[in-house]
Amino acid sequence: MSIFELFPYDLDLVSPGNIAAGKDFWAKLPDLAAGVPTARLLMIASTFEPKHVLSGFQRMAVPEQGLPTMIRGFKSIFEQHIMGATQATRSMRLLMVFDSKQGDASTEKILRSYGLRARALDETIQIPFTSMENKWNRGISPDGQHWAVVESTVQQSGVMHLSYLHSLLSLDFPLWMSIDIETMAKRDSMSMLKIKTTSARFEKSKDMEAQEDARDVSNVAVALRKEIQSSGMALHHFRLRVLVSGNSAAQLNERLQIVRSNSGIELQTWESEIGLVSEMFSSDAPAGVRGSLTTTRGILSAAGSPMVFRRRTSTRGVLIGQDSNQSPVIMNLFDPNNPSYNLLCLGQSGSGKTFAIQLMILRHMLMGCRAVMVDPQGNIDWSFLGKDVTETITLGTEKARLNVLEMTDDELPQQVETVLSRLKLLEIYRDRDSDSLARTILDHCLSEMYEPIWGTDIEAPTLLHLHRRLKQMESDNPADEIGTTAKLMAYRLSRYTEGSQADLFCGQSTVDLSLSAPITVFDISRLPSPETDGNLRAALLSILVGGTSQGIKRMRRSNHPARNAPMIWFIDEMGVLMRDPVIASNTSYEFKTARARQVSMIVADQDLHSLLGRADEHGTHHGLPMLSNAAMSMIFFQKGAERGSIDTYFPDLPPTLKERIFHQGLGQCVLQMPGEVMAVNIQPSPFEGIVLSSCQTDRDRRDEIVKKLRSQLEV
C-alpha cells in the first residue's frame, strides 16, 4: 500500500486540460489498482500562521554570529517584517492512499500523466490525537477535545461543482476530511444499470408517484448506459467523511452545524460512529465504498475539488510577497529540486523590476548568499551595508579599465573566438573585409600571442600588443593584400590604443574581478549608451561577464572562506549582450551551466524584444537559450505591443494572468516557478523601501536610519 502527497492547483489559474486529465485516472482505476479499485483522498485543513513562515526562514538563515554587522541588523528587521506582513491563511495538505500495481516511482509518473502532481511518502498518516474515550458517535481525547464524524448521504441531489468543498476548507477551525472512491468495472456497471432498468420497467405499484419515480430511474439508467458506452466513462461510488473537533460539546455542536451548512453536498443530520476515524486515517485503501453513485464526470468534481484548493505553505526560503489569496510567497533561488537556479525578469522602466530583484538578493544574503550585480543606470547603491560588505566598481573610467584581450575562457580556441567577436563589435574588422582575410590575420596574431602564455600566470596581451603585431605584419608584407589589410585594421585599432578610447582600452584591466566582497556592484552607467555606441558597450560587457565568470571559478578553487557560498549574479539590460552571436552563445553557456557552479543568474530587460536580441539569418534569436534554461520568471508590467511575444514565449500562462501582465501596478508581477504560476504583490519592509530606493530624498533618510541602526548594533 502506498501513500502519496498531492499538490493542488489554483482554481482560478488551473487549465481545463489539467482538470480533465484526472477523469481518466478515476475511470481506469480497475486497471491501475492491485486489488479492489478504490482510493482515498485525505484532506487536512488548518491555519497557516506567520510564525510558521518565520520558523521556516530561521531554519534556512545563517546564524547571527556568521553575519556582518549591518546584515545582522537587517535580519532582525526582516523577522519583524515577516510577523507583521504575513496574514494567517487557510492551508490544506492533500494525501492519497492507493494500492497500485506499480512501484512508487512508476505510480508517481502515472499520476502526473493524469494531471495529478504527486510525491510518494514513506511515512504513516498521523491521527490528530493519541487516544480517545469512545462514546459511540462522540469521542473525547486526553486533552479535553470533543470529536465527531459526519458523512455524506447516500442519495445526492443537485450538481457538484469544483469548488463544492472550498467553503469547508476555508472555515477558521481545523478539519479533517476523507473522500473514498470505488470505480466499478465497465461490465459490472452495465449489468447493474440493466437490472435497474428492468426493475423499473416492471414496477407494479399503482401509486402514480412510485410509477413516476420508476420511469425516472429507467430514463437515468438508460442515459448512463449510453454515456458509458460512448465516452469510456465509468460508474463510481464515493463517500465524504468530515472529522470535527471542539473544546467542548457545545462548541462541537456549533461547528457541526457550520460544517453542514457550508458543505457543497448533503451531509447526514446525525453523527456517524466515532470509530470510523481509524478508517479515515488508515494506510490501507478502502476495502469497498458504500456511498453515492455517480459517473466519472461527477467524480471529477468530487475528487477534483481539493485538487484546485491551492494555498501556499512553503517556508524554506525568503518571503517576497503575497499571492492573490493573501498567502505568503516564499522563494529560494537555490532550491535543490529546481532544474536550474536561474531567473528571467521582464519589466518596463518604473514597474519595480530592479527594486524587486534587489529586495530578493538582500533577503537571500541572510541565507549566506553572495552577489554580483551589473547596474546599467547607476541606481544600485548598497553602501549602507558598509565597506566590509559592498564593493562598488564604476566602469568607463581610467581607474576601471577593461582589457579586450583579457583571458576569460577555459580553452584557447574559444578564447580566440571570443576576442574576435569583441574586435568585430569594435569594428576592427568587418565581414566584408577581403572576404575572410582580416579574420584570418587576427586569428593568427592572437594565437601567436596567447600560445606561449596559455596556462601560465603571465598577464594577458593587450590591444597595444595586437596593434604592434599588425604594424609588423604591414611592414613584412608591404606590397600585398595581407599588408594592406593589416594596415587598415591597425588604423582602426589606433582609436583604442592612442585615440579617444585609449583610457578605456589601452593597457591591462584595472577592474578587480576577485569578487572578494560579499556584494560586488559593477556600475556601467558611464559606458557608451546602447543608443550612441551599443557595440562598444556590448564588447565591454562581454569582457565583464567573462571576467566575472572566471572570478567565480577561481573563488570556487581557492581557500576563500566563502568559496562554497551560493552566488547570485544579476545582469540588467541583458539584451545588449545579444548583439553578437559568439558573445551571446558564451553568455548563454554561462547561464546554462550556472547551476553546476552553485550560481543563480538573474537576467533582466524591459521586454522580450530587448532580451532576446536580434534574429540571425535563420530567424533565431540569440537569447532563446536563456529563456529555455530559466527555471523561474518574473514578468512585471508590459506594454500592449508585447502581447504577441508573451503569447509566443509563455504559452502556458493562464489567460487571467496573461491579461494581468498588461495592467499591473508598481511592484506587481506574474511569477513562474517549477510546477506553479501566480500573481504576486512584492512586499518590502519600510526599511527596505528606503534603503533600496533610487529616490534622492529616500537616500537622505536612509543615511540617518542606517547611522542610527549601526550605533544600536555597535552598542
Side-chain angles (χ1 to χ4, degrees):
M1 192 62 60
S2 298
I3 303 171
F4 298 90
E5 182 168 12
L6 303 182
F7 301 97
Y9 299 94
D10 277 324
L11 176 60
D12 296 332
L13 305 179
V14 64
S15 70
N18 279 332
I19 296 174
K23 69 178 176 57
D24 293 330
F25 170 76
W26 299 111
K28 295 179 180 179
L29 205 55
D31 299 325
L32 301 172
V36 180
T38 62
R40 176 182 298 111
L41 296 176
L42 178 64
M43 293 150 275
I44 305 170
S46 59
T47 301
F48 187 63
E49 300 181 9
K51 64 181 181 181
H52 298 135
V53 180
L54 178 61
S55 176
F57 162 71
Q58 289 175 336
R59 288 196 299 271
M60 299 289 292
V62 173
E64 287 193 4
Q65 58 268 28
L67 294 172
T69 301
M70 283 300 294
I71 298 296
R72 189 169 68 250
F74 170 64
K75 182 181 179 184
S76 176
I77 292 171
F78 180 56
E79 289 176 340
Q80 294 173 25
H81 173 68
I82 289 175
M83 295 302 292
T86 307
Q87 300 182 28
T89 57
R90 291 297 285 173
S91 65
M92 180 199 67
R93 191 180 187 203
L94 181 60
L95 306 177
M96 182 171 73
V97 181
F98 171 49
D99 187 8
S100 173
K101 292 179 180 178
Q102 309 291 330
D104 287 351
S106 297
T107 303
E108 280 185 14
K109 294 179 181 178
I110 291 171
L111 291 172
R112 288 178 189 141
S113 71
Y114 290 121
L116 303 173
R117 299 183 295 180
R119 175 173 62 93
L121 300 179
D122 56 3
E123 60 190 70
T124 58
I125 302 176
Q126 298 296 317
I127 297 179
F129 44 78
T130 56
S131 62
M132 178 182 291
E133 181 185 352
N134 192 332
K135 296 189 176 181
W136 196 78
N137 67 341
R138 296 290 175 101
I140 302 177
S141 54
D143 58 359
Q145 286 286 304
H146 292 246
W147 302 82
V149 174
V150 62
E151 294 184 277
S152 56
T153 60
V154 174
Q155 298 296 329
Q156 291 289 330
S157 60
V159 178
M160 280 187 294
H161 298 281
L162 273 176
S163 59
Y164 84 98
L165 283 179
H166 290 195
S167 293
L168 281 180
L169 292 168
S170 300
L171 295 176
D172 61 357
F173 51 83
L175 285 178
W176 297 261
M177 293 183 281
S178 67
I179 298 176
D180 292 343
I181 298 170
E182 180 176 359
T183 301
M184 299 176 64
K186 184 175 182 180
R187 181 182 64 255
D188 296 337
S189 299
M190 299 300 288
S191 175
M192 185 194 72
L193 292 173
K194 185 176 181 180
I195 292 172
K196 284 185 175 291
T197 304
T198 303
S199 300
R201 186 180 304 166
F202 292 100
E203 170 62 46
K204 295 181 179 180
S205 174
K206 294 181 180 180
D207 182 86
M208 294 297 292
E209 186 175 347
Q211 291 180 11
E212 184 67 27
D213 289 343
R215 280 194 295 270
D216 289 343
V217 170
S218 178
N219 292 336
V220 169
V222 170
L224 288 175
R225 288 174 64 186
K226 289 181 179 179
E227 184 175 358
I228 292 171
Q229 289 174 327
S230 62
S231 65
M233 290 192 180
L235 284 180
H236 311 263
H237 289 284
F238 89 94
R239 174 181 59 218
L240 171 68
R241 288 172 173 163
V242 184
L243 174 64
V244 187
S245 68
N247 293 328
S248 63
Q251 187 183 62
L252 176 59
N253 288 332
E254 180 184 349
R255 288 182 173 180
L256 285 168
Q257 184 177 352
I258 293 172
V259 165
R260 289 188 175 99
S261 61
N262 280 274
S263 175
I265 63 174
E266 297 175 42
L267 298 178
Q268 294 172 348
T269 56
W270 62 90
E271 289 80 64
S272 301
E273 182 185 355
I274 194 64
L276 293 177
V277 172
S278 60
E279 290 185 18
M280 292 178 62
F281 290 87
S282 173
S283 298
D284 295 323
V289 179
R290 182 181 177 277
S292 301
L293 187 66
T294 185
T295 63
T296 302
R297 198 187 312 275
I299 213 67
L300 187 59
S301 294
S305 187
M307 283 301 304
V308 291
F309 187 83
R310 175 78 165 94
R311 299 295 184 271
R312 289 170 181 84
T313 58
S314 171
T315 61
R316 297 186 65 80
V318 295
L319 174 73
I320 64 166
Q322 290 183 340
D323 67 7
S324 55
N325 294 315
Q326 305 305 309
S327 296
V329 177
I330 308 297
M331 177 173 277
N332 179 7
L333 291 171
F334 296 92
D335 186 337
N337 295 315
N338 290 349
S340 82
Y341 301 147
N342 298 333
L343 183 144
L344 180 146
C345 187
L346 302 173
Q348 295 294 317
S349 297
S351 63
K353 168 194 64 185
T354 304
F355 179 90
I357 293 174
Q358 288 189 75
L359 178 141
M360 189 170 14
I361 293 173
L362 180 58
R363 294 179 180 181
H364 271 76
M365 288 194 70
L366 300 174
M367 298 196 299
C369 297
R370 299 168 72 86
V372 178
M373 292 185 275
V374 179
D375 174 20
Q377 303 297 330
N379 290 331
I380 298 177
D381 181 3
W382 282 38
S383 59
F384 66 91
L385 291 177
K387 294 181 180 179
D388 58 330
V389 176
T390 304
E391 180 181 16
T392 299
I393 300 172
T394 303
L395 276 67
T397 64
E398 186 177 355
K399 294 181 179 179
R401 185 189 304 120
L402 289 170
N403 178 13
V404 175
L405 274 61
E406 191 69 58
M407 292 184 281
T408 57
D409 290 273
D410 295 327
E411 303 294 335
L412 178 56
Q414 185 61 47
Q415 172 68 25
V416 172
E417 283 296 320
T418 299
V419 173
L420 285 171
S421 294
R422 293 171 186 162
L423 294 173
K424 182 180 176 183
L425 286 170
L426 298 180
E427 297 189 339
I428 306 305
Y429 81 98
R430 301 162 188 171
D431 288 337
R432 62 179 181 271
D433 284 342
S434 303
D435 298 320
S436 60
L437 180 59
R439 179 183 173 89
T440 302
I441 291 172
L442 289 172
D443 187 295
H444 176 76
C445 292
L446 292 171
S447 297
E448 280 194 339
M449 289 190 293
Y450 281 126
E451 282 176 353
I453 64 172
W454 196 258
T456 69
D457 294 330
I458 299 175
E459 289 183 327
T462 66
L463 287 182
L464 191 59
H465 294 107
L466 179 59
H467 187 266
R468 291 170 183 166
R469 289 263 179 173
L470 291 172
K471 296 295 288 184
Q472 184 62 47
M473 190 169 285
E474 173 195 351
S475 176
D476 294 342
N477 303 274
D480 59 20
E481 191 176 359
I482 293 177
T484 303
T485 304
K487 179 181 179 180
L488 176 61
M489 289 192 292
Y491 172 74
R492 291 171 179 165
L493 196 59
S494 62
R495 177 192 179 194
Y496 304 100
T497 57
E498 55 193 45
S500 60
Q501 301 294 336
D503 288 344
L504 284 180
F505 292 97
C506 188
Q508 294 292 341
S509 294
T510 55
V511 175
D512 180 10
L513 295 172
S514 65
L515 312 180
S516 55
I519 297 289
T520 303
V521 179
F522 291 110
D523 178 353
I524 61 171
S525 60
R526 298 191 188 183
L527 295 183
S529 70
E531 294 76 22
T532 59
D533 202 337
N535 284 350
L536 180 57
R537 186 179 182 90
L540 290 167
L541 279 177
S542 78
I543 303 167
L544 178 60
V545 169
T548 301
S549 175
Q550 290 299 316
I552 293 173
K553 292 175 183 177
R554 283 193 295 269
M555 174 173 283
R556 296 298 188 225
R557 296 192 296 262
S558 72
N559 293 320
H560 193 284
R563 63 184 179 276
N564 296 320
M567 178 76 74
I568 301 172
W569 186 0
F570 170 38
I571 305 176
D572 204 351
E573 201 182 82
M574 188 67 193
V576 173
L577 286 169
M578 299 296 107
R579 290 172 176 260
D580 178 84
V582 173
I583 292 174
S585 176
N586 290 350
T587 306
S588 296
Y589 177 78
E590 294 294 336
F591 196 76
K592 183 178 180 180
T593 59
R595 192 184 197 278
R597 301 190 302 279
Q598 195 71 355
V599 172
S600 168
M601 286 191 72
I602 302 176
V603 297
D605 218 314
Q606 291 194 17
D607 49 47
L608 279 168
H609 176 76
S610 302
L611 181 75
L612 297 178
R614 302 168 181 168
D616 60 19
E617 64 273 16
H618 304 294
T620 302
H621 294 274
H622 301 317
L624 276 178
M626 289 189 298
L627 194 62
S628 60
N629 284 294
M632 298 159 279
S633 63
M634 299 176 77
I635 309 176
F636 290 79
F637 171 73
Q638 292 290 285
K639 295 178 180 178
E642 290 298 307
R643 286 183 186 273
S645 297
I646 296 294
D647 287 338
T648 299
Y649 296 108
F650 296 93
D652 297 329
L653 277 181
T656 52
L657 287 186
K658 196 174 292 186
E659 184 60 30
R660 177 188 171 95
I661 289 171
F662 307 102
H663 305 284
Q664 295 178 126
L666 177 65
Q668 297 178 333
C669 71
V670 172
L671 171 63
Q672 276 188 311
M673 295 192 291
E676 58 183 338
V677 58
M678 70 204 82
V680 177
N681 292 317
I682 303 298
Q683 285 186 312
S685 64
F687 176 81
E688 291 164 315
I690 293 174
V691 299
L692 297 179
S693 172
S694 58
C695 177
Q696 187 57 50
T697 55
D698 284 334
R699 291 191 172 181
D700 293 340
R701 293 175 59 200
R702 179 195 68 184
D703 294 340
E704 298 176 10
I705 292 172
V706 169
K707 182 179 179 180
K708 182 178 180 180
L709 177 61
R710 188 178 290 277
S711 63
Q712 292 173 347
L713 293 169
E714 289 174 350
V715 171

